[in-house]
Each structure stands twice: as C-alpha cells, then as structure tokens.
Amino acid sequence: MTDKLNLLLCSSSTVHPLGYLEYCKDDIAEFFSSCEDIIFISYARPGGVSLENYSSVAKGGFKNAGLEIRGIEEFDNPLEAITNCDGIFTGGGNTFLLLKSLYENGLIDPIKQRVNEGLRYMGTSAGSNVAGPSIKTTNDMPIVYPPSFEAFSFVPFNINPHYLDPDPHSTHKGETRETRINEYHHQNDNIVVGLREGSILKIENKNITLIGEKTLRVFVKGREAKEYDNNSNINFLLD
Amino acid sequence: MTDKLNLLLCSSSTVHPLGYLEYCKDDIAEFFSSCEDIIFISYARPGGVSLENYSSVAKGGFKNAGLEIRGIEEFDNPLEAITNCDGIFTGGGNTFLLLKSLYENGLIDPIKQRVNEGLRYMGTSAGSNVAGPSIKTTNDMPIVYPPSFEAFSFVPFNINPHYLDPDPHSTHKGETRETRINEYHHQNDNIVVGLREGSILKIENKNITLIGEKTLRVFVKGREAKEYDNNSNINFLLD
C-alpha cells in the first residue's frame, strides 16, 4: 500500500428512503472539490441498463453535489480518459461484469497505478468491492466469467458491501452473510469488512475513518467478528 | 441432451423445521432403490467443514432413507470411484469450491459421460446448480476461482436454488433475486428456473416433473417470469 491514497468507499449508492447518492452528497462534494475532470466507470450496469443510461443517472447524482462527471463510454479510448482525469467514480451493479469489463478494456493496471499515486477514487457497492485485493466477497451473481477474481488491491482488506445481519426470524436455509464470510476465511487469509448500507470508508494517506451511523463489522480469520463505530481507530485495517 | 437421464435435483438439503434430507427421504429411497454403490461428492464443504465430516452428515441422511453411501474422499483415486459406482449424490455448500474441486480432480468429463449414459445423479443446492450448463446463477460467494464457470450441462436450463421471492417490506437496497436473474439474461440466453426450498425436479429420460408444494418460477429471456405447479407439463424445459 502506498501512503498517497485518497479513497471514498461507499457501501451503496442509495439508502432508503433517499434518492441516488443523496445520503453521501456532502461527502462527495468535499472529496472531489479540487477536481475538474472526473470519470464515471459505468461498466457494472445494474439491472442490465446501458452504459449511457447508467452514466445519466450518475451525472444526476453528481449534479446534486455540484459536480460534473463524464461516462467512460463517451471516450473512443478509455485508457486516455483514465490518463487525463483527476478523479474516478466507479458505480455499483454486477461486480463480475465490472471486473471483466475493466480487464477487457485494459484498465486494471492504469487505474491501479494512478490511484496509488494519489488520484481520487470513489466507489459504491461493486465499485468499492474492486478496491480490495479480490472480488471474492461480492454478493453478486456470477453472470459472466472474468479472467481473474483479482481486483485493484488499493487496500489489503476485502469488502462485503450491503452487509446484512442475519434475520433471527428467518426459516430460510440459504447461508447467512456471516456464514459465507467464514467460508471465505477457510480459503483465504485477509481481513473482510462488512460495510452496512449508509456506511462509508474514507482513506487519506495512511488513515482510514468510518463515516455514518452504523458500525463496521470486521472479520479477522480465526477470531470472532467485531464491531467498530465511527469513533474507533481502525487504522489496523491498512496494515 | 441424451434421452437416458435419471436426475433428482433438489433445491436444498434441509427444509425448516425438518432434519437433513428428511423432507425428501422417500424420494431418495425410491430414486436409488436399485443402487448398491452410491458415491457422495463432498467437495462443496458448507461452512468450511472437512470432507470427512461432511460425508458423515450425508451418510446419516442416507441411512434414514435406508441407503448406504461412501464419500469420494475415501478413495485414493476419485476417478475410480466414479467409474465403478452406480449412483452419485452431490451435496450443497459453496458452488465455486465444488466446481473448482471437480475440475482439479478431473471429474467433470467422467461424471458427465456416465450420467449422460443413465447413471443416477442427485444434487442438493450447489449439487443441483452444477447440473445446468454453468454456475452463473448460483447465490454463493466466489471464495475461490474455478478454471471455468461451465458445469455438467445435463440439462439445458440454469438453476437458481433456494429461490426467494422479494420481501415487500424490505428497505434493503441490495438486488433482489429476480433482478439478478434479469441481469443474467442481459448476458446469457438460456432459461433459468428458480427452485424454492422444498422443491425437487425429477428428470427421467425426456420427462421432467416438479415435486413439492411450492411452484417453480421460470425465467425465459425477454418474457415475464411464470409460475408452474406440480401438475404442469414442464417438458419444454428440456428442449
């Protein structure tokens, strides 16, 4: 990990009952205040929406934060967009489709390099998931086969967005989220954070802070999961 | 598809409030009544349990149906187990881990060939998921990277086990199961069936029947999803 990171990793784009990006619009406005050329990565295509339509939605959300943003699909050469921009926002949707598209467009290494040098990067849901070492803790359906599950590795921990506590009244026999993350730890070693809807992780240099009212659930392999609130020092996550 | 298939595809191994395989024990007893050497494929390891411990659980369930079963991990050469058995039961757990282990042990083609020639195959959850062309409609977390998402293709449709209807009271913004399946259809063409807990698909030769009280939700690309009950003719699924 470099000591130049500037990341805003949001669990979700929308929190009930607010509109798209409304719950975090002040955070966005502050995070990107010095930026003039922000690129939206639309590849995750929630619900199968077109890249153009997804970018329109993102533009509306950024407009509410007083910012302009351009969709990566507007560029003949997406690599050029990444080389010249001063900020990136990667939207949610299907994580497998997002990662596959990033590989197909040759953008994994270029984005990784620029963000590690300090380029501001914001993600929601799938866009936050790819900030970790792999997408192995996504909740999404594997509708396409990416050439690898390895992602940007900006941070050393894996993210589980939309983290949900088990419903004590459920009789459903599908696995709970916590069971799934424990299965992950039978096969993998790094920390997983369960980011509840409305929670944001902000990383500046070597400091990480939790924004939002909900606590962060941290899964360290071989230990009981622990909760941290927005007053906790959670810098150990970056070690 | 061959006309010699004998499949029992169960959504889940356990239905509330019954014990493991209890809800389907008569179906299992009948399905395997002519079999004397049934192999249990334990690779999906639910909750990260060991292969041996998982096989013990399966043996208990089969004992209740008056049957014996041997875990694939008891054989030095798993291929030999497949070559000599007269029935296979593949248990649920993590679909990615199951598929990766099947590839690593070189069992995809041998199992495919024997089942296509009439060998009796039963699956629960992940074990049913792999009976379709791919695991692209699993609900599981991608905790390991398999060399492909392609599975046995015994049947031409994809299966979504533990199918769940949207909760009308939920404020959670994660995708519903139906949204995910629609995303699948933006990238893939074949039919997906949502198999609710307690539902079983039985395939004999070129006939498919639904067992259980719950209806089957069938997703055809570009059309509204439709429900079929256990009196419906659903043979079109095998076309």
Side-chain angles (χ1 to χ4, degrees):
Chain A
M1 248 193 68
T2 76
D3 56 2
K4 290 182 184 162
L5 286 178
N6 276 299
L7 310 176
L8 198 66
L9 305 178
C10 309
S11 176
S12 46
S13 56
T14 312
V15 174
H16 180 81
L18 302 173
Y20 179 77
L21 294 184
E22 213 176 318
Y23 82 98
C24 54
K25 84 175 154 61
D26 294 343
D27 302 294
I28 297 175
E30 194 205 340
F31 184 70
F32 285 120
S33 61
S34 63
C35 300
E36 292 183 339
D37 188 3
I38 310 167
I39 297 297
F40 176 58
I41 296 182
S42 48
Y43 297 146
R45 300 177 56 193
V49 71
S50 72
L51 299 175
E52 293 74 16
N53 288 350
Y54 193 21
S55 288
S56 302
V57 173
K59 284 176 189 183
F62 266 60
K63 202 174 170 190
N64 290 338
L67 293 163
E68 275 183 35
I69 191 164
R70 288 193 289 175
I72 189 133
E73 76 284 350
E74 295 171 35
F75 295 81
D76 288 336
N77 182 353
L79 181 57
E80 221 171 85
I82 297 304
T83 309
N84 298 323
C85 72
D86 58 11
I88 290 176
F89 166 39
T90 304
N94 187 283
T95 313
F96 295 89
L97 186 56
L98 168 61
L99 191 64
K100 181 166 182 270
S101 306
L102 286 167
Y103 275 108
E104 280 173 355
N105 287 289
L107 295 183
I108 294 281
D109 287 336
I111 292 177
K112 202 166 160 173
Q113 193 182 332
R114 287 219 60 201
V115 172
N116 281 332
E117 288 166 5
L119 184 74
R120 290 181 173 261
Y121 178 97
M122 168 181 161
T124 53
S125 194
S128 296
N129 202 292
V130 293
S134 80
I135 63 162
K136 291 181 179 175
T137 51
T138 176
N139 310 307
D140 293 341
M141 203 171 252
I143 60 172
V144 294
Y145 184 68
S148 164
F149 283 168
E150 282 175 36
F152 289 130
S153 288
F154 301 144
V155 292
F157 55 87
N158 260 55
I159 295 174
N160 179 248
H162 300 278
Y163 183 78
L164 262 187
D165 296 291
D167 173 358
H169 304 294
S170 175
T171 58
H172 186 70
K173 295 291 183 180
E175 295 87 348
T176 65
R177 198 64 65 78
E178 181 145 353
T179 304
R180 294 174 195 276
I181 293 171
N182 287 334
E183 286 182 356
Y184 172 85
H185 271 150
H186 275 274
Q187 302 289 332
N188 304 274
D189 296 324
N190 66 329
I191 290 176
V192 179
V193 304
L195 202 58
R196 293 184 173 87
E197 288 189 351
S199 295
I200 302 173
L201 288 173
K202 187 170 185 176
I203 294 127
E204 291 171 298
N205 308 317
K206 296 284 274 181
N207 276 304
I208 177 166
T209 46
L210 175 68
I211 300 173
E213 297 307 309
K214 293 188 181 156
T215 54
L216 185 73
R217 193 160 179 86
V218 176
F219 300 84
V220 177
K221 183 173 179 158
R223 299 199 208 148
E224 286 275 295
K226 260 180 96 170
E227 299 284 337
Y228 294 87
D229 66 18
N230 55 19
N231 289 313
S232 308
N233 181 334
I234 50 172
N235 278 336
F236 68 91
L237 292 175
L238 299 180
D239 288 345
Chain B
M1 248 193 69
T2 76
D3 54 4
K4 290 181 184 166
L5 285 179
N6 276 298
L7 310 177
L8 198 65
L9 306 179
C10 310
S11 176
S12 46
S13 56
T14 311
V15 173
H16 180 82
L18 303 172
Y20 179 77
L21 295 184
E22 214 176 318
Y23 83 98
C24 55
K25 84 176 155 63
D26 294 344
D27 301 294
I28 296 175
E30 194 205 341
F31 184 71
F32 285 121
S33 62
S34 63
C35 300
E36 291 183 339
D37 189 2
I38 310 166
I39 297 297
F40 176 59
I41 296 181
S42 47
Y43 296 146
R45 302 177 56 193
V49 69
S50 71
L51 300 175
E52 294 74 16
N53 288 350
Y54 193 21
S55 288
S56 303
V57 174
K59 284 175 188 182
F62 266 59
K63 202 174 172 190
N64 290 338
L67 292 163
E68 275 182 36
I69 191 163
R70 287 192 290 176
I72 190 135
E73 75 285 350
E74 295 171 36
F75 296 81
D76 288 336
N77 182 352
L79 182 57
E80 222 171 84
I82 298 304
T83 309
N84 299 323
C85 71
D86 58 12
I88 289 176
F89 166 38
T90 304
N94 187 283
T95 313
F96 296 88
L97 187 55
L98 168 61
L99 190 65
K100 183 165 181 270
S101 306
L102 286 167
Y103 275 108
E104 280 172 355
N105 287 288
L107 295 183
I108 294 281
D109 287 335
I111 292 176
K112 201 166 160 173
Q113 192 182 334
R114 287 219 61 201
V115 172
N116 280 333
E117 288 166 4
L119 183 74
R120 288 180 176 264
Y121 178 97
M122 168 181 161
T124 53
S125 192
S128 296
N129 201 294
V130 292
S134 81
I135 64 162
K136 290 181 179 175
T137 52
T138 176
N139 310 306
D140 293 341
M141 204 171 252
I143 60 172
V144 294
Y145 184 68
S148 165
F149 283 167
E150 283 177 34
F152 290 130
S153 288
F154 301 144
V155 292
F157 55 86
N158 259 53
I159 296 174
N160 179 249
H162 301 276
Y163 183 78
L164 262 187
D165 296 291
D167 172 359
H169 304 295
S170 175
T171 58
H172 186 69
K173 294 292 182 180
E175 295 87 349
T176 66
R177 198 65 64 79
E178 182 144 353
T179 303
R180 293 173 195 276
I181 294 170
N182 287 335
E183 286 182 358
Y184 172 85
H185 272 150
H186 276 274
Q187 301 290 331
N188 304 273
D189 296 324
N190 66 329
I191 290 177
V192 179
V193 304
L195 202 57
R196 293 184 174 88
E197 289 189 350
S199 293
I200 302 173
L201 288 173
K202 188 171 185 174
I203 294 127
E204 292 171 297
N205 309 317
K206 295 285 274 180
N207 276 303
I208 177 166
T209 47
L210 175 68
I211 300 173
E213 297 307 308
K214 293 188 181 157
T215 55
L216 185 73
R217 193 161 180 85
V218 176
F219 299 85
V220 177
K221 184 173 177 158
R223 299 198 207 148
E224 284 276 294
K226 260 181 96 171
E227 299 284 337
Y228 295 88
D229 66 19
N230 55 20
N231 288 314
S232 308
N233 182 334
I234 51 172
N235 278 338
F236 67 91
L237 292 176
L238 299 181
D239 288 344

